[in-house]
Amino acid sequence: MAAGATAEARAADLARILAAQRRAFGAAPAPDAAARRAGLRRLKRQVGRYQDLLAAAMAADFGNRAAAESKLFDLLPSVMEIDHLIRHLGRWMRPSRRPTELLFRTNSLRVFYRPKGVVGIIVPWNLPIYLAIGPLAAALAAGNRVMIKMAEDSPATAALLRRMLAEIFAEDEVALVTLPREEAGAFGALAFDHLVFTGSTAVGRQVMAAAAQDLVPVTLELGGKSPAILAPDFPVADAALRIAHGKGANGGQICVAPDHAFVPRAELAAFVAAAAESWRQMYGGGDATPVISDRQLARLQAMLADARDKGARILPAAPWDPARDGRRMPLHLLTGVTPDMAVMREEIFGPLLPVLPYDSLDEVLAQLAAAPRPLALYGFARDPALQARILSGTQSGGVTLNDWAWHAANHAAPFGGIGASGMGNYHGIEGFRELSHARTVFRKHRFFPVQLFYPPYGGRIQRLVLRWFLGRPDPALQVRPAGDSEGAASEDAQARRDSPAA
């Protein structure tokens, strides 16, 4: 959109792009597998060509993000997702044969996976390339047109991604837009055929409410407070290393980062010390990604102040002075936390790790059962029985055992939330089907005697069919003439006497 454009002009431009994509979809509503693969291959090639520029743009937006981290967490999984789609979309596109009901045997029943039309994608700032290209690739694999809105905190990345996409896609196939923060809701209010949103639960509710005005189906990936549970049989130092990596990667600004950790009470001090040392070994040399903005840093500092004022003990993994170090915030481990603290009520999304001691695994599972369902859960246990207990006693979008987040990096399996952490799926055949319309097609055999089900009712074949499927009626339940209140009361009394509760 042109610099200096008014809000009205930006809204008109959104409507223009959507209308152009709808027209283009109407002209070519079912691209074949070859066309879809061609688009995906162009996209993959651009990621490789632009990899250094993309890493530099993300570093500019974050304020010195390591190029290796950008490539590992944004670019590598984008390419892995595209490769998986290219390999499998031909098979996924084939009509799925389904068995008919017994009544309709000899007829044909199939499900065709058709493109929905125009898919909107709202991208957050934390993994701006992966969370743009992953849904984009899935939408293209499903045969759709796509409009992408990038986050306000990723201006350099958004500008480069727009240039990169414009080189390989016409605007009526893929378009990328940016909007001022106060106008961001205008994108979610467009009448898409599907909307994919990644972000906070609070904003997700607003997006879903706006989409509901036009009955737009949504996929929401919302994060939440993903717990890590250290079972008594797992090595403390190993768990601390892996959780510290999860909190250090991208500065803890990942939707599936461990939010807080449950640790056996006797291991609390050892875990805190090991996590701090692990963070220093990995990120103390300058590879720590800064907090994205002053606004986000102020939010995290307010969380720390609230916890400190309410009695929490705070251990920074390294000395930190905001005036000297800016937004490059080290891991802060918090003990003595209580439920009323902001760090235990809100998604942290940064390098703060509350560590909660426990005496029995049952109390941990009970606490999690009473909490909103998180996007991810991490169980650290060697004993298969303990692993099974953690799995059966909890609910979450996904799980990694004995590490963090790697379930989300495997593109053959669905990734998504549950309850407050979201709805719908990315990745795999489930993601392809999420962005497709499952269109059922019943084809009647030429000689199938469907007229046997026509009126007038009560013929012999109809009676036999109903008897076969429904069985015999209960003779005690007699149909009374309309207005027979005495008979109805008698029947109700008999039903109460016959009920299992009676």
Side-chain angles (χ1 to χ4, degrees):
M1 296 182 183
T6 64
E8 292 76 13
R10 284 188 289 267
D13 206 32
L14 291 177
R16 177 191 63 77
I17 295 170
L18 178 60
Q21 292 204 351
R22 285 203 179 284
R23 286 193 300 272
F25 179 76
D32 62 18
R36 301 183 198 192
R37 288 194 190 98
L40 291 171
R41 290 191 179 105
R42 293 197 304 271
L43 182 58
K44 177 184 175 180
R45 189 162 52 249
Q46 288 293 79
V47 173
R49 290 182 62 229
Y50 275 78
Q51 59 180 290
D52 290 339
L53 292 179
L54 287 168
M58 286 183 275
D61 287 332
F62 276 94
N64 196 25
R65 190 195 203 198
E69 186 157 271
S70 288
K71 292 183 180 183
L72 285 169
F73 283 90
D74 271 276
L75 307 189
L76 176 61
S78 296
V79 169
M80 291 164 63
E81 167 83 341
I82 294 169
D83 284 342
H84 186 79
L85 291 165
I86 290 172
R87 280 196 302 271
H88 296 285
L89 73 86
R91 177 168 56 84
W92 296 344
M93 287 174 65
R94 293 178 196 146
S96 171
R97 293 186 179 276
R98 305 295 174 90
T100 63
E101 294 288 353
L102 180 61
L103 277 178
F104 300 101
R105 287 291 167 83
T106 76
N107 296 295
S108 166
L109 187 67
R110 293 195 293 175
V111 177
F112 291 76
Y113 293 95
R114 302 275 295 181
K116 286 191 170 182
V118 180
V119 173
I121 299 172
I122 300 177
V123 183
W125 49 261
N126 62 316
L127 296 174
I129 295 300
Y130 181 43
L131 295 177
I133 287 183
L136 167 61
L140 293 175
N144 298 291
R145 311 272 160 165
V146 183
M147 291 178 64
I148 302 169
K149 188 198 82 67
M150 298 294 287
E152 303 83 4
D153 288 326
S154 303
T157 305
L160 184 62
L161 185 58
R162 181 190 293 113
R163 166 184 150 189
M164 170 180 143
L165 294 175
E167 289 178 357
I168 57 172
F169 296 113
E171 188 183 57
D172 63 5
E173 187 173 7
V174 176
L176 185 149
V177 303
T178 56
L179 293 168
R181 195 180 305 276
E182 62 274 13
E183 297 174 27
F187 186 88
L190 293 173
F192 295 113
D193 298 294
H194 195 102
L195 180 62
V196 178
F197 169 80
T198 304
S200 72
T201 300
V203 179
R205 289 192 177 98
Q206 298 171 16
V207 168
M208 189 171 182
Q213 301 306 306
D214 290 298
L215 298 180
V216 176
V218 295
T219 298
L220 303 177
E221 190 268 273
L222 304 178
K225 298 186 71 62
S226 299
I229 306 169
L230 173 57
D233 73 330
F234 198 88
V236 173
D238 192 3
L241 169 66
R242 298 172 194 285
I243 293 171
H245 179 236
K247 268 298 186 184
N250 203 37
Q253 299 163 116
I254 298 179
C255 57
V256 289
D259 184 273
H260 53 288
F262 292 95
V263 176
R265 190 173 299 277
E267 307 290 356
L268 179 66
F271 177 88
V272 169
E277 178 60 24
S278 294
W279 187 91
R280 287 191 291 270
Q281 291 292 328
M282 288 185 284
Y283 298 103
D287 284 332
T289 296
V291 176
I292 186 70
S293 66
D294 291 339
R295 183 169 62 91
Q296 291 294 333
L297 182 64
R299 182 183 64 82
L300 293 169
Q301 288 177 299
M303 281 187 166
L304 281 176
D306 173 75
R308 187 181 292 110
D309 291 346
K310 293 174 179 174
R313 295 176 293 282
I314 301 171
L315 172 68
W320 178 59
D321 179 357
R324 180 192 66 221
D325 305 316
R327 293 183 279 107
R328 195 184 291 274
M329 187 182 199
L331 175 65
H332 284 63
L333 296 124
L334 293 81
T335 59
V337 296
T338 54
D340 62 322
M341 295 177 182
V343 289
M344 293 308 298
R345 290 184 288 105
E346 303 170 17
E347 183 179 8
I348 294 171
F349 218 70
L352 314 182
L353 180 67
V355 185
L356 294 84
Y358 72 85
D359 298 305
S360 76
L361 192 55
D362 286 340
E363 72 180 73
V364 175
L365 299 182
Q367 183 171 332
L368 293 178
R373 295 170 177 178
L375 182 59
L377 182 140
Y378 307 118
F380 292 82
R382 291 279 172 82
D383 183 354
L386 283 174
Q387 294 179 1
R389 193 170 163 202
I390 291 171
L391 290 175
S392 64
T394 57
Q395 288 270 13
S396 66
V399 176
T400 289
L401 293 174
N402 301 337
D403 216 311
W404 77 283
W406 302 121
H407 67 282
N410 284 273
H411 297 92
F415 172 73
I418 180 174
S421 61
M423 62 181 66
N425 291 290
Y426 301 163
H427 304 170
I429 190 170
E430 289 86 358
F432 173 84
R433 290 181 175 177
E434 181 99 352
L435 298 177
S436 302
H437 170 58
R439 187 184 192 189
T440 297
V441 176
F442 176 88
R443 181 176 288 110
K444 187 183 80 68
H445 189 278
R446 179 178 177 184
F447 299 107
F448 184 75
V450 71
Q451 64 274 13
L452 293 175
F453 302 107
Y454 292 174
Y457 298 121
R460 180 171 177 271
I461 296 298
Q462 291 180 3
R463 293 199 308 272
L464 287 173
V465 166
L466 294 174
R467 177 67 59 83
W468 175 268
F469 283 97
L470 300 182
R472 294 179 180 273
D474 186 339
L477 301 175
Q478 300 296 321
V479 178
R480 301 290 178 181
D484 184 0
S485 58
E486 182 177 339
S490 175
E491 184 175 294
D492 289 344
Q494 181 65 41
R496 286 193 296 273
R497 287 194 296 272
D498 293 340
S499 71

